[in-house]
Amino acid sequence: MRYCTQCVLPDTRPGVTLDADGVCEGCRNHARRGQGIDWDERRRRLDAIFEDAKRRNRGYDCIIPVSGGKDSTWQVVKCLESGLRILAVTWRTPGRTALGQANLDNLVRLGVDHIDYTINPDVERKFMYKALVKTGSTGVPMHMAIYAIPLRIAVALEVPLVVWGENPHVEYGRTDDSDQSDELGPGWGQRHGILQDSTPEDWVDDDLTLKDMEPYTMPSEEAFKRAGVRSFFLGDYLPWDPAESLRVASEHGFKAREAGPRLGLYNYADIDCDFISVHHHFKWLKFGCTRLFDNLALEIRNGRITRDQAIDTIRQRGDQTPHDDIASLCEFLRISREHFAEIEAKFRNHDVWKQVDGVWRIPGFIVPDWKWS
Ligand SMILES: [Zn+2]
């Protein structure tokens, strides 16, 4: 296990490859981000797409998939400024927090119609449990629902646009121009490995029928094309600055978490769902890094802290195991904490972790004097 010499990410984390100088791709690409992009020209293209949608539509101009976070609030504000009629669509996470609900309510009051799409909790529980046992993550059902539901609704209601936020592949990897035409159509999740090469049919068994899997199922490429839906990332057309989107969202009623961050570094991120932290917790077992590492890598790349300060922060924060959220997830899945521990054990990566005197530890961990317990 080796760490990037500029940030704090280990090469065990998927997507992190170190070059001959020991620098990760995310750090290399960061310096080039946004360079050579004519944002005025992009803005004109965006306006043309919006005008075309207004001409074509029969009702809503666009669907905006929203969680209630600062970025969804920013997306809604930007599209309202362009005079679009918006249908906001949410996959309702079973772990929604009170703050997540309040921010969604606020977003709807900005002047949009909203579908809060709730999946039968029985189906969701079965699927999430199977995914957790098989992949060590509840990410597959979560991502399938997040991507499929808005696209299905766009096709069904003949809405010409689906406007996503930032392309998740920008933050930790790609250079800007490579994915400019990276439209989020029915095949996008497979193309980027987000769904771990699985389709809803793969999860069908005696317990889950194909009909149960309906909310997780993408429209066919054919139906998508026939409906003439364009599905794209706003971040490919407008410069994406988290500080700016936070400022705009806050001005429009978005609330960060007063008690501080739920996990990682930011009190305005990962705040709408109790189960996100468990998803990240498994990365600790699999790759030896946490959400905090991701956040610190961004802070270093943006020149706000040094690598030494980042390592100090990891030391001070200590163990990041989200005990309360694990308890909530176990309750939702109707499994015991003991059974959850068995699943954790199955996904602890023995290439990263070694047991010494009965205690699991990561040899060569970035914080040399870490307290293993
Ligand atoms: Zn790096």
Side-chain angles (χ1 to χ4, degrees):
M1 181 169 178
R2 290 193 306 147
Y3 294 91
C4 171
T5 52
Q6 286 188 12
C7 68
V8 288
L9 297 183
D11 62 357
T12 45
R13 192 190 189 291
V16 176
T17 44
L18 305 182
D19 66 12
D21 299 321
V23 178
C24 76
E25 201 180 5
C27 283
R28 283 198 304 273
N29 288 345
H30 185 84
R32 296 206 297 269
R33 259 196 87 177
Q35 267 183 14
I37 291 182
D38 181 347
W39 288 112
D40 291 338
E41 189 264 341
R42 293 264 173 110
R43 175 77 227 197
R44 284 193 293 277
R45 269 158 58 189
L46 180 66
D47 289 338
I49 292 169
F50 284 168
E51 289 313 310
D52 176 57
K54 286 182 200 169
R55 266 196 310 276
R56 281 197 291 147
N57 96 75
R58 301 182 185 183
Y60 297 109
D61 299 313
C62 73
I63 282 178
I64 304 184
V66 297
S67 63
K70 73 170 175 43
D71 292 343
S72 12
T73 309
W74 184 81
Q75 283 156 258
V76 165
V77 170
K78 287 290 147 187
C79 289
L80 283 172
E81 282 173 2
S82 292
L84 298 175
R85 287 187 54 82
I86 299 166
L87 174 62
V89 174
T90 304
W91 161 65
R92 187 188 173 94
T93 163
R96 180 176 291 166
T97 62
L99 184 55
Q101 182 66 52
N103 279 326
L104 255 184
D105 293 344
N106 173 71
L107 181 153
V108 175
R109 283 195 299 271
L110 295 177
V112 302
D113 291 350
H114 181 229
I115 295 176
D116 202 10
Y117 199 111
T118 309
I119 297 175
N120 175 352
D122 220 35
V123 169
E124 200 144 52
R125 169 171 45 251
K126 288 177 192 169
F127 190 9
M128 281 173 69
Y129 174 73
K130 282 174 208 275
L132 185 66
V133 169
K134 190 173 170 195
T135 70
S137 165
T138 53
V140 168
M142 177 181 80
H143 287 121
M144 277 186 183
I146 285 175
Y147 294 127
I149 290 168
L151 295 190
R152 289 284 296 270
I153 294 175
V155 169
L157 299 186
E158 299 178 28
V159 182
L161 298 181
V162 181
V163 182
W164 303 87
E166 172 64 306
N167 188 329
H169 289 274
V170 170
E171 204 169 300
Y172 300 110
R174 76 163 174 96
T175 51
D176 268 327
D177 260 352
S178 57
D179 272 353
Q180 215 286 306
S181 59
D182 189 27
E183 296 233 324
L184 198 160
W188 185 85
Q190 301 296 346
R191 200 160 64 242
H192 288 286
I194 286 171
L195 305 178
Q196 310 210 5
D197 280 332
S198 76
T199 63
E201 296 83 56
D202 296 337
W203 298 87
V204 170
D205 59 14
D206 296 345
D207 231 14
L208 280 177
T209 68
L210 195 55
K211 287 189 174 177
D212 286 337
M213 299 302 282
E214 182 76 358
Y216 304 99
T217 305
M218 280 280 188
S220 69
E221 287 281 359
E222 194 200 356
F224 187 73
K225 286 214 176 70
R226 201 170 46 228
V229 178
R230 271 188 92 160
S231 169
F232 64 92
F233 295 100
L234 201 53
D236 285 340
Y237 294 91
L238 299 176
W240 193 268
D241 177 353
E244 172 66 5
S245 67
L246 177 62
R247 187 188 66 76
V248 171
S250 303
E251 272 179 17
H252 289 83
F254 169 81
K255 295 270 188 297
R257 192 164 179 270
E258 278 176 22
R262 262 190 90 77
L263 73 158
L265 216 49
Y266 310 125
N267 72 340
Y268 53 79
D270 304 314
I271 56 176
D272 24 354
C273 173
D274 276 338
F275 302 155
I276 284 287
S277 58
V278 186
H279 172 68
H280 289 291
H281 167 64
F282 274 86
K283 294 181 180 171
W284 175 236
L285 303 172
K286 292 172 177 176
F287 317 130
C289 63
T290 64
R291 187 63 159 169
L292 184 60
F293 285 57
D294 294 337
N295 293 163
L296 288 167
L298 284 187
E299 293 299 303
I300 293 170
R301 288 171 195 160
N302 284 311
R304 288 191 279 265
I305 57 169
T306 65
R307 188 172 188 271
D308 285 343
Q309 285 170 326
I311 293 171
D312 238 23
T313 303
I314 296 169
R315 179 189 291 106
Q316 284 162 17
R317 286 292 195 86
D319 180 49
Q320 297 274 294
T321 307
H323 297 285
D324 291 350
D325 296 343
I326 289 172
S328 307
L329 182 66
C330 288
E331 193 178 326
F332 176 71
L333 296 179
R334 297 185 187 158
I335 62 174
S336 67
R337 189 66 184 77
E338 290 71 28
H339 182 49
F340 184 85
E342 289 166 8
I343 301 169
E344 284 177 303
K346 180 180 160 196
F347 287 98
R348 191 189 291 276
N349 181 351
H350 292 194
D351 290 335
V352 172
W353 293 84
K354 297 277 177 268
Q355 207 172 21
V356 181
D357 300 330
V359 177
W360 285 103
R361 56 186 74 215
I362 300 173
F365 188 57
I366 196 163
V367 180
D369 54 344
W370 186 259
K371 305 233 182 317
W372 302 101
S373 55

